Amino acid sequence: EVAALLDESVKAVVGTGQIHRAVECLRAALALQKLGPLDRARFLLELAALQRRVGRPEEALKSLGLAAGVADSNTAQAREIDEAILAFYREENRLEELAAQREKELQNNSTSPVYLWRVARVRMVRNSLGQARDLLAEGLQKNPGHLLLLSTLADVAALQGKHAEVRDIARDLAAR
């Protein structure tokens, strides 16, 4: 399988300390368009991590954006990529930029659970837990019982030390 061979090859090149070469290998393999969407998104995420290691943050951001576009239909992978994007902006001290971008996206998709979750996650990282909680509660009114919103609300409640609420949400989730 192409993906397994590529994965093994990139790991071997990285293992020798030739990160720049690994970046070029991944970039060339991705350009061939021979990978399925899940593998393509996974390798774009890996490419972004390697690009950051070699000091190419803007290229890494572009790779993360491409990965997000490819992974649209796979919720678990899309969430992983969104978390990588959030980590990138946090580590690059650009959270304000991401916050503005996410808020604008939410204006155009005000009922979408994914866009609500993205804004809530940025607010959580910025330690605006009350605002994240309010947004998630509003999102759950529009999307009752949505798993992603409920689990994130439980995360916020835990961060706020509201353990009884976490238990109630966990019971609700278990009942589904």
Side-chain angles (χ1 to χ4, degrees):
E1 176 181 313
V2 173
L5 289 173
L6 179 59
D7 192 39
E8 186 177 319
S9 298
V10 169
K11 285 180 182 171
V13 173
V14 168
T16 65
Q18 298 179 11
I19 309 300
H20 287 281
R21 181 168 281 171
V23 167
E24 297 312 316
C25 288
L26 269 176
R27 191 177 306 156
L30 287 162
L32 294 174
Q33 303 286 327
K34 300 274 186 189
L35 299 167
L38 294 176
D39 287 327
R40 185 167 178 72
R42 179 171 59 92
F43 284 118
L44 281 164
L45 191 57
E46 187 171 341
L47 176 61
L50 292 173
Q51 288 167 324
R52 288 194 70 205
R53 284 179 63 183
V54 298
R56 298 181 189 167
E58 292 309 314
E59 289 180 26
L61 188 56
K62 182 179 177 185
S63 295
L64 287 170
L66 291 171
V70 172
D72 238 9
S73 62
N74 183 311
T75 306
Q77 191 177 51
R79 186 172 178 175
E80 177 186 358
I81 292 166
D82 281 339
E83 289 293 340
I85 291 169
L86 182 58
F88 172 88
Y89 278 94
R90 182 178 54 235
E91 292 163 10
E92 294 288 324
N93 294 316
R94 294 169 59 179
L95 270 179
E96 294 300 320
E97 181 183 336
L98 181 63
Q101 178 185 331
R102 294 297 196 217
E103 293 284 349
K104 185 176 179 180
E105 292 170 350
L106 181 59
Q107 287 176 357
N108 298 326
N109 302 282
S110 62
T111 60
S112 168
V114 172
Y115 289 97
L116 288 160
W117 173 77
R118 286 175 175 167
V119 172
R121 285 293 298 133
V122 170
R123 289 178 181 178
M124 289 169 69
V125 169
R126 294 172 75 194
N127 207 28
S128 298
L129 299 177
Q131 291 178 355
R133 175 188 209 62
D134 293 345
L135 180 64
L136 291 164
E138 178 185 318
L140 283 164
Q141 289 176 350
K142 298 173 185 175
N143 304 280
H146 193 277
L147 182 63
L148 182 60
L149 299 179
L150 275 173
S151 63
T152 307
L153 184 59
D155 292 343
V156 171
L159 290 170
Q160 292 179 317
K162 298 180 178 186
H163 303 291
E165 184 176 343
V166 174
R167 278 192 306 275
D168 292 342
I169 294 171
R171 283 187 193 118
D172 187 27
L173 289 170
R176 296 182 179 279

